[in-house]
Amino acid sequence: MNRTRITTLGWRAAAVLAAAAGLAACADVPPPTAQLGASAQAVQTAERAGALQYAPAEYQSAREKLGAADNAMRNDDRTKARRLAEEAQVEADLATIRSQRATAQQAAGAVRSLAGPQATNTGTMPRAAAPTLPPATSGTSDWSVPRTPGGTP
């Protein structure tokens, strides 16, 4: 009987210690303020890159996840806030890359159209003509081999 009571107390103590350790571990998670700042910066970069026009789904997802991360921070759910902030940053980076790609493709199309039909048909820019040299004169020119003081080359 005494042994049963000790075993029961042992299990209860272990459960209390485990719960306390779990709570302590949650409390030790630092607030992800740096990650939230980096994510907010990534969303701003995506917006400046034209994500509203070229990658609206990714941009909207990034904004929503950043808002959810802010809410998680207000509720002191630091782990969830960090995860959502990281996801927001990835979505914003993707929106930026897609926007930059679309902008580059538009610029390349503009260059091709300015280069004329030859460039668009072959996929290459036309070559520039080789520079022409002045005609050779009667034996002496500024391009001749330098002579030694004795007059021989």
Side-chain angles (χ1 to χ4, degrees):
M1 178 145 137
N2 194 16
R3 185 177 184 143
T4 306
R5 185 169 184 221
I6 291 173
T7 304
T8 304
L9 286 175
W11 282 107
R12 285 184 186 168
V16 169
L17 285 173
L23 290 174
C26 290
D28 289 342
V29 173
T33 52
Q35 183 62 48
L36 286 168
S39 299
Q41 182 65 34
V43 169
Q44 289 175 355
T45 300
E47 185 174 351
R48 284 192 302 269
L52 287 168
Q53 180 180 359
Y54 299 114
E58 293 83 359
Y59 177 74
Q60 185 62 33
S61 177
R63 287 184 51 92
E64 288 172 0
K65 288 181 180 181
L66 184 58
D70 285 335
N71 286 338
M73 270 300 290
R74 280 191 220 105
N75 295 332
D76 203 34
D77 190 350
R78 295 175 178 183
T79 303
K80 184 177 181 180
R82 179 177 306 281
R83 180 182 51 82
L84 287 168
E86 289 170 352
E87 290 176 11
Q89 186 173 1
V90 168
E91 290 285 336
D93 289 345
L94 178 61
T96 300
I97 290 168
R98 287 196 174 166
S99 299
Q100 290 171 342
R101 179 177 177 237
T103 303
Q105 286 176 335
Q106 282 185 341
V111 168
R112 279 193 296 273
S113 68
L114 290 174
Q118 181 182 5
T120 55
N121 290 340
T122 63
T124 61
M125 296 290 290
R127 290 188 189 188
T132 58
L133 297 175
T137 57
S138 62
T140 59
S141 72
D142 291 339
W143 300 95
S144 62
V145 177
R147 302 196 180 266
T148 59
T152 58

Tab-separated table of all heavy atoms in Angstrom, residues 82-122:
chain	number	residue	atom	x	y	z
A	82	ARG	N	6.572	33.396	-35.726
A	82	ARG	CA	7.816	33.220	-36.480
A	82	ARG	C	7.563	32.438	-37.773
A	82	ARG	O	8.039	32.811	-38.836
A	82	ARG	CB	8.864	32.503	-35.636
A	82	ARG	CG	10.185	32.275	-36.385
A	82	ARG	CD	11.235	31.624	-35.515
A	82	ARG	NE	11.474	32.315	-34.275
A	82	ARG	CZ	12.227	33.413	-34.143
A	82	ARG	NH1	12.798	33.930	-35.205
A	82	ARG	NH2	12.388	33.975	-32.974
A	83	ARG	N	6.812	31.358	-37.664
A	83	ARG	CA	6.533	30.532	-38.847
A	83	ARG	C	5.776	31.331	-39.899
A	83	ARG	O	6.132	31.303	-41.083
A	83	ARG	CB	5.725	29.293	-38.443
A	83	ARG	CG	5.381	28.377	-39.625
A	83	ARG	CD	4.538	27.193	-39.196
A	83	ARG	NE	3.363	27.523	-38.422
A	83	ARG	CZ	2.198	27.921	-38.936
A	83	ARG	NH1	2.059	28.048	-40.235
A	83	ARG	NH2	1.172	28.191	-38.155
A	84	LEU	N	4.761	32.075	-39.487
A	84	LEU	CA	3.987	32.861	-40.444
A	84	LEU	C	4.819	33.988	-41.055
A	84	LEU	O	4.688	34.294	-42.243
A	84	LEU	CB	2.740	33.426	-39.764
A	84	LEU	CG	1.647	32.405	-39.482
A	84	LEU	CD1	0.593	32.984	-38.546
A	84	LEU	CD2	1.003	31.929	-40.777
A	85	ALA	N	5.687	34.598	-40.258
A	85	ALA	CA	6.549	35.654	-40.784
A	85	ALA	C	7.517	35.089	-41.821
A	85	ALA	O	7.764	35.722	-42.852
A	85	ALA	CB	7.307	36.328	-39.644
A	86	GLU	N	8.047	33.909	-41.554
A	86	GLU	CA	8.944	33.276	-42.528
A	86	GLU	C	8.197	32.949	-43.817
A	86	GLU	O	8.717	33.158	-44.914
A	86	GLU	CB	9.571	32.018	-41.929
A	86	GLU	CG	10.603	32.314	-40.858
A	86	GLU	CD	11.066	31.084	-40.092
A	86	GLU	OE1	10.464	29.992	-40.281
A	86	GLU	OE2	12.014	31.208	-39.304
A	87	GLU	N	6.985	32.438	-43.701
A	87	GLU	CA	6.187	32.132	-44.885
A	87	GLU	C	5.856	33.404	-45.662
A	87	GLU	O	5.878	33.410	-46.898
A	87	GLU	CB	4.905	31.405	-44.484
A	87	GLU	CG	5.129	29.983	-43.990
A	87	GLU	CD	3.848	29.313	-43.518
A	87	GLU	OE1	2.741	29.859	-43.754
A	87	GLU	OE2	3.946	28.237	-42.895
A	88	ALA	N	5.551	34.478	-44.942
A	88	ALA	CA	5.252	35.748	-45.599
A	88	ALA	C	6.458	36.245	-46.376
A	88	ALA	O	6.322	36.741	-47.499
A	88	ALA	CB	4.820	36.789	-44.556
A	89	GLN	N	7.637	36.092	-45.800
A	89	GLN	CA	8.843	36.538	-46.483
A	89	GLN	C	9.085	35.728	-47.755
A	89	GLN	O	9.447	36.280	-48.798
A	89	GLN	CB	10.054	36.458	-45.567
A	89	GLN	CG	11.298	37.053	-46.185
A	89	GLN	CD	12.462	37.135	-45.224
A	89	GLN	OE1	12.360	36.727	-44.078
A	89	GLN	NE2	13.565	37.666	-45.693
A	90	VAL	N	8.867	34.430	-47.690
A	90	VAL	CA	9.057	33.585	-48.877
A	90	VAL	C	8.061	33.974	-49.968
A	90	VAL	O	8.431	34.102	-51.146
A	90	VAL	CB	8.921	32.092	-48.503
A	90	VAL	CG1	8.826	31.219	-49.739
A	90	VAL	CG2	10.086	31.663	-47.631
A	91	GLU	N	6.817	34.196	-49.603
A	91	GLU	CA	5.799	34.602	-50.587
A	91	GLU	C	6.147	35.955	-51.192
A	91	GLU	O	6.010	36.161	-52.403
A	91	GLU	CB	4.416	34.661	-49.931
A	91	GLU	CG	3.838	33.328	-49.562
A	91	GLU	CD	3.322	32.540	-50.751
A	91	GLU	OE1	2.987	33.136	-51.792
A	91	GLU	OE2	3.243	31.307	-50.634
A	92	ALA	N	6.608	36.883	-50.372
A	92	ALA	CA	6.968	38.208	-50.873
A	92	ALA	C	8.182	38.128	-51.806
A	92	ALA	O	8.215	38.802	-52.839
A	92	ALA	CB	7.255	39.149	-49.708
A	93	ASP	N	9.148	37.314	-51.449
A	93	ASP	CA	10.320	37.139	-52.319
A	93	ASP	C	9.914	36.542	-53.662
A	93	ASP	O	10.419	36.949	-54.713
A	93	ASP	CB	11.371	36.266	-51.637
A	93	ASP	CG	12.069	36.967	-50.482
A	93	ASP	OD1	11.971	38.209	-50.373
A	93	ASP	OD2	12.714	36.258	-49.682
A	94	LEU	N	9.006	35.582	-53.634
A	94	LEU	CA	8.514	34.983	-54.878
A	94	LEU	C	7.790	36.026	-55.719
A	94	LEU	O	7.991	36.095	-56.941
A	94	LEU	CB	7.587	33.805	-54.570
A	94	LEU	CG	6.951	33.114	-55.771
A	94	LEU	CD1	8.020	32.526	-56.688
A	94	LEU	CD2	5.992	32.022	-55.308
A	95	ALA	N	6.974	36.852	-55.082
A	95	ALA	CA	6.270	37.908	-55.815
A	95	ALA	C	7.258	38.885	-56.434
A	95	ALA	O	7.084	39.317	-57.585
A	95	ALA	CB	5.312	38.641	-54.873
A	96	THR	N	8.314	39.216	-55.719
A	96	THR	CA	9.334	40.126	-56.244
A	96	THR	C	10.016	39.518	-57.460
A	96	THR	O	10.182	40.180	-58.498
A	96	THR	CB	10.384	40.437	-55.163
A	96	THR	OG1	9.734	41.059	-54.055
A	96	THR	CG2	11.474	41.344	-55.687
A	97	ILE	N	10.391	38.260	-57.358
A	97	ILE	CA	11.088	37.595	-58.466
A	97	ILE	C	10.190	37.496	-59.692
A	97	ILE	O	10.627	37.764	-60.817
A	97	ILE	CB	11.590	36.213	-58.023
A	97	ILE	CG1	12.738	36.388	-57.023
A	97	ILE	CG2	12.037	35.375	-59.206
A	97	ILE	CD1	13.126	35.130	-56.293
A	98	ARG	N	8.951	37.142	-59.500
A	98	ARG	CA	8.033	37.053	-60.650
A	98	ARG	C	7.818	38.418	-61.284
A	98	ARG	O	7.721	38.538	-62.505
A	98	ARG	CB	6.715	36.425	-60.219
A	98	ARG	CG	6.857	34.957	-59.976
A	98	ARG	CD	5.545	34.249	-59.922
A	98	ARG	NE	5.791	32.812	-59.837
A	98	ARG	CZ	4.889	31.938	-59.520
A	98	ARG	NH1	3.658	32.323	-59.261
A	98	ARG	NH2	5.184	30.658	-59.468
A	99	SER	N	7.747	39.453	-60.468
A	99	SER	CA	7.571	40.804	-60.990
A	99	SER	C	8.800	41.245	-61.771
A	99	SER	O	8.680	41.831	-62.859
A	99	SER	CB	7.309	41.780	-59.843
A	99	SER	OG	6.129	41.425	-59.166
A	100	GLN	N	9.969	40.979	-61.232
A	100	GLN	CA	11.199	41.343	-61.930
A	100	GLN	C	11.326	40.592	-63.251
A	100	GLN	O	11.773	41.146	-64.255
A	100	GLN	CB	12.409	41.081	-61.037
A	100	GLN	CG	12.505	42.042	-59.872
A	100	GLN	CD	13.572	41.648	-58.874
A	100	GLN	OE1	14.041	40.505	-58.843
A	100	GLN	NE2	13.965	42.590	-58.024
A	101	ARG	N	10.932	39.342	-63.252
A	101	ARG	CA	10.986	38.552	-64.485
A	101	ARG	C	10.049	39.133	-65.539
A	101	ARG	O	10.423	39.274	-66.711
A	101	ARG	CB	10.612	37.106	-64.178
A	101	ARG	CG	10.615	36.213	-65.393
A	101	ARG	CD	10.317	34.767	-65.019
A	101	ARG	NE	10.262	33.947	-66.188
A	101	ARG	CZ	9.219	33.203	-66.530
A	101	ARG	NH1	8.161	33.168	-65.752
A	101	ARG	NH2	9.240	32.477	-67.616
A	102	ALA	N	8.836	39.477	-65.134
A	102	ALA	CA	7.876	40.040	-66.081
A	102	ALA	C	8.371	41.387	-66.617
A	102	ALA	O	8.252	41.668	-67.816
A	102	ALA	CB	6.513	40.197	-65.409
A	103	THR	N	8.947	42.189	-65.752
A	103	THR	CA	9.480	43.477	-66.177
A	103	THR	C	10.632	43.289	-67.159
A	103	THR	O	10.724	43.997	-68.172
A	103	THR	CB	9.953	44.288	-64.953
A	103	THR	OG1	8.853	44.437	-64.047
A	103	THR	CG2	10.449	45.651	-65.347
A	104	ALA	N	11.507	42.333	-66.877
A	104	ALA	CA	12.633	42.058	-67.777
A	104	ALA	C	12.144	41.551	-69.129
A	104	ALA	O	12.688	41.923	-70.184
A	104	ALA	CB	13.586	41.050	-67.144
A	105	GLN	N	11.114	40.711	-69.117
A	105	GLN	CA	10.575	40.216	-70.383
A	105	GLN	C	9.959	41.347	-71.197
A	105	GLN	O	10.102	41.388	-72.418
A	105	GLN	CB	9.539	39.117	-70.130
A	105	GLN	CG	10.164	37.803	-69.714
A	105	GLN	CD	9.122	36.750	-69.378
A	105	GLN	OE1	7.992	37.059	-69.012
A	105	GLN	NE2	9.519	35.495	-69.490
A	106	GLN	N	9.294	42.272	-70.526
A	106	GLN	CA	8.735	43.419	-71.238
A	106	GLN	C	9.843	44.284	-71.835
A	106	GLN	O	9.737	44.745	-72.964
A	106	GLN	CB	7.868	44.257	-70.309
A	106	GLN	CG	6.506	43.679	-70.071
A	106	GLN	CD	5.647	44.609	-69.232
A	106	GLN	OE1	6.144	45.500	-68.556
A	106	GLN	NE2	4.346	44.384	-69.270
A	107	ALA	N	10.902	44.497	-71.074
A	107	ALA	CA	12.017	45.298	-71.567
A	107	ALA	C	12.675	44.617	-72.761
A	107	ALA	O	13.026	45.276	-73.746
A	107	ALA	CB	13.039	45.533	-70.463
A	108	ALA	N	12.847	43.315	-72.692
A	108	ALA	CA	13.441	42.580	-73.810
A	108	ALA	C	12.554	42.672	-75.045
A	108	ALA	O	13.047	42.829	-76.168
A	108	ALA	CB	13.674	41.120	-73.424
A	109	GLY	N	11.262	42.605	-74.864
A	109	GLY	CA	10.338	42.752	-75.984
A	109	GLY	C	10.418	44.135	-76.606
A	109	GLY	O	10.374	44.275	-77.834
A	110	ALA	N	10.572	45.139	-75.766
A	110	ALA	CA	10.700	46.503	-76.286
A	110	ALA	C	11.988	46.662	-77.084
A	110	ALA	O	11.996	47.290	-78.147
A	110	ALA	CB	10.664	47.500	-75.133
A	111	VAL	N	13.075	46.080	-76.601
A	111	VAL	CA	14.342	46.150	-77.325
A	111	VAL	C	14.226	45.430	-78.657
A	111	VAL	O	14.692	45.917	-79.687
A	111	VAL	CB	15.496	45.573	-76.474
A	111	VAL	CG1	16.758	45.372	-77.294
A	111	VAL	CG2	15.773	46.470	-75.279
A	112	ARG	N	13.589	44.267	-78.656
A	112	ARG	CA	13.416	43.525	-79.909
A	112	ARG	C	12.583	44.321	-80.908
A	112	ARG	O	12.880	44.341	-82.097
A	112	ARG	CB	12.779	42.165	-79.639
A	112	ARG	CG	13.746	41.112	-79.162
A	112	ARG	CD	13.146	39.721	-79.201
A	112	ARG	NE	12.022	39.556	-78.296
A	112	ARG	CZ	12.121	39.212	-77.017
A	112	ARG	NH1	13.295	38.994	-76.488
A	112	ARG	NH2	11.050	39.072	-76.267
A	113	SER	N	11.546	44.977	-80.433
A	113	SER	CA	10.706	45.729	-81.365
A	113	SER	C	11.432	46.961	-81.897
A	113	SER	O	11.237	47.347	-83.041
A	113	SER	CB	9.393	46.132	-80.697
A	113	SER	OG	9.632	47.088	-79.682
A	114	LEU	N	12.314	47.556	-81.106
A	114	LEU	CA	13.092	48.697	-81.575
A	114	LEU	C	14.196	48.286	-82.534
A	114	LEU	O	14.615	49.073	-83.375
A	114	LEU	CB	13.708	49.448	-80.386
A	114	LEU	CG	12.737	50.216	-79.506
A	114	LEU	CD1	13.460	50.785	-78.303
A	114	LEU	CD2	12.052	51.314	-80.296
A	115	ALA	N	14.672	47.051	-82.395
A	115	ALA	CA	15.751	46.577	-83.249
A	115	ALA	C	15.280	46.300	-84.667
A	115	ALA	O	16.082	46.194	-85.573
A	115	ALA	CB	16.381	45.317	-82.656
A	116	GLY	N	14.014	46.171	-84.860
A	116	GLY	CA	13.483	45.973	-86.200
A	116	GLY	C	13.119	44.526	-86.477
A	116	GLY	O	13.339	43.640	-85.666
A	117	PRO	N	12.575	44.295	-87.663
A	117	PRO	CA	12.108	42.947	-87.991
A	117	PRO	C	13.229	41.926	-88.106
A	117	PRO	O	13.025	40.757	-87.855
A	117	PRO	CB	11.379	43.118	-89.320
A	117	PRO	CG	11.838	44.422	-89.864
A	117	PRO	CD	12.291	45.254	-88.704
A	118	GLN	N	14.437	42.360	-88.475
A	118	GLN	CA	15.535	41.398	-88.604
A	118	GLN	C	15.840	40.762	-87.255
A	118	GLN	O	16.067	39.560	-87.163
A	118	GLN	CB	16.782	42.080	-89.141
A	118	GLN	CG	17.945	41.114	-89.313
A	118	GLN	CD	19.198	41.816	-89.799
A	118	GLN	OE1	19.233	43.028	-89.913
A	118	GLN	NE2	20.216	41.051	-90.084
A	119	ALA	N	15.843	41.548	-86.199
A	119	ALA	CA	16.163	41.027	-84.866
A	119	ALA	C	15.060	40.113	-84.360
A	119	ALA	O	15.336	39.113	-83.699
A	119	ALA	CB	16.381	42.170	-83.892
A	120	THR	N	13.809	40.432	-84.648
A	120	THR	CA	12.736	39.586	-84.145
A	120	THR	C	12.630	38.289	-84.916
A	120	THR	O	12.202	37.282	-84.388
A	120	THR	CB	11.382	40.320	-84.187
A	120	THR	OG1	11.152	40.779	-85.515
A	120	THR	CG2	11.378	41.485	-83.226
A	121	ASN	N	13.052	38.289	-86.205
A	121	ASN	CA	12.985	37.064	-86.985
A	121	ASN	C	14.090	36.088	-86.609
A	121	ASN	O	13.892	34.891	-86.595
A	121	ASN	CB	13.069	37.371	-88.489
A	121	ASN	CG	11.816	38.048	-88.982
A	121	ASN	OD1	10.778	37.961	-88.340
A	121	ASN	ND2	11.908	38.745	-90.107
A	122	THR	N	15.275	36.585	-86.345
A	122	THR	CA	16.398	35.698	-86.070
A	122	THR	C	16.649	35.499	-84.589
A	122	THR	O	17.370	34.598	-84.196
A	122	THR	CB	17.690	36.251	-86.703
A	122	THR	OG1	17.993	37.511	-86.093
A	122	THR	CG2	17.567	36.394	-88.188
